Amino acid sequence: MVDNLPPSFERGTDGPKVIVAGLDGSESSWRAAAYAAGLARRQNALLAVVYVQPVLAGGAALGASVADTTAEVAEELMREVREAAERRRGVFDVRWEFHTFRGDPYNGLVQAADELKADAVVVGASEQAGHRFVGSVAVRLVKAGRWPVTVVP
């Protein structure tokens, strides 16, 4: 019965086509982005670098313009990613895009992965001690079970 056979493997067509890398400016997120860039290069996949702009309602009460501040962070990260890509031009060719989403990091990355039709998600390990007890974004992404997730230390 041919109908019950699993799909055949086609060499060169398997593997991720879109890899989402979460970037928040931390050292571990930069390592994750570098790892994801190497993976994207080897797989000839699109690297989607994603920064999730936090929504901090308390910031407005303090008189701070949270939207302006997070937009500045996004612009700075974008500039740094562009500079890194420019330094490696001709050595490593990687197709990449930079995206910003708003919200908490977990929900922002889920939204990004869904909208960009990600095949894989790469994030840095949490650098916050409290995440041992509450759970990090990486652990929550793994538990969601919707994409392969790589956590880079």
Side-chain angles (χ1 to χ4, degrees):
M1 299 200 120
V2 176
D3 293 336
N4 293 333
L5 293 175
S8 64
F9 175 79
E10 295 182 44
R11 186 174 182 88
T13 61
D14 290 348
K17 298 297 179 205
V18 177
I19 300 169
V20 166
L23 180 65
D24 63 7
S26 67
E27 287 298 317
S28 66
S29 75
W30 280 110
R31 286 191 296 271
Y35 179 87
L39 182 61
R41 179 182 54 79
R42 289 186 298 279
Q43 296 289 333
N44 195 28
L46 172 67
L47 171 63
V49 178
V50 174
Y51 169 65
V52 180
Q53 295 180 343
V55 178
L56 304 172
L62 300 174
S65 174
V66 175
D68 289 345
T69 302
T70 59
E72 288 173 16
V73 171
E75 288 296 321
E76 178 65 20
L77 290 174
M78 173 75 158
R79 185 184 61 71
E80 290 181 35
V81 170
R82 282 186 197 269
E83 287 176 1
E86 188 64 32
R87 285 192 302 271
R88 289 162 181 81
R89 180 185 290 192
V91 178
F92 299 116
D93 290 325
V94 176
R95 294 179 303 124
W96 66 277
E97 301 173 347
F98 185 85
H99 298 271
T100 60
F101 288 82
R102 293 182 58 81
D104 67 273
Y106 170 75
N107 287 313
L109 285 171
V110 166
Q111 179 185 0
D114 283 345
E115 287 185 18
L116 299 170
K117 297 179 179 22
D119 297 300
V121 178
V122 180
V123 293
S126 176
E127 296 178 350
Q128 297 180 3
H131 286 168
R132 280 182 290 203
F133 306 108
V134 179
S136 68
V137 171
V139 169
R140 292 175 66 194
L141 288 168
V142 169
K143 286 182 177 181
R146 294 166 62 184
W147 323 267
V149 177
T150 302
V151 182
V152 178

